[in-house]
Amino acid sequence: MNNQLGLLFYMVIGSVGMAFVGLGVVKLAIVYDDQQGYWIGFIGFLCCTMYIRHLESRVGIQKKYRLLGYGLFFVVFGVLSVWVYL
């Protein structure tokens, strides 16, 4: 049980961290108006996210917790990106 809580903790930290990385890409695209840099950053961010999700499934985190992590990521990323854009 303790190991599962540790995995969930690091999954939440990873989701929030990836949201901040994505937020940085969005902020750079807004400030510098660089479309090419935005797409390079976005593709790199997408690849890292896919790799982290693959690792979560290999470690053995249950699907309901992974879906909860996806939801947390989208909420944090959505709220912060709207906040940065305005």
Side-chain angles (χ1 to χ4, degrees):
M1 181 67 176
N2 190 19
N3 189 25
Q4 187 72 14
L5 288 175
L7 288 174
L8 293 176
F9 172 74
Y10 287 116
M11 187 182 82
V12 168
I13 295 296
S15 294
V16 172
M18 289 303 291
F20 282 126
V21 169
L23 185 66
V25 171
V26 169
K27 179 70 175 176
L28 282 174
I30 292 170
V31 170
Y32 292 113
D33 195 29
D34 179 20
Q35 291 298 319
Q36 183 182 12
Y38 171 75
W39 285 109
I40 290 170
F42 181 72
I43 290 170
F45 171 72
L46 187 63
C47 290
C48 288
T49 302
M50 289 171 55
Y51 180 68
I52 287 174
R53 300 305 178 208
H54 170 71
L55 289 178
E56 287 174 355
S57 67
R58 295 280 300 213
V59 169
I61 296 176
Q62 296 175 2
K63 188 170 183 165
K64 65 179 178 180
Y65 293 127
R66 286 186 302 189
L67 291 175
L68 183 66
Y70 299 156
L72 175 69
F73 168 77
F74 285 121
V75 167
V76 169
F77 184 72
V79 168
L80 290 177
S81 62
V82 167
W83 177 68
V84 165
Y85 188 72
L86 296 177

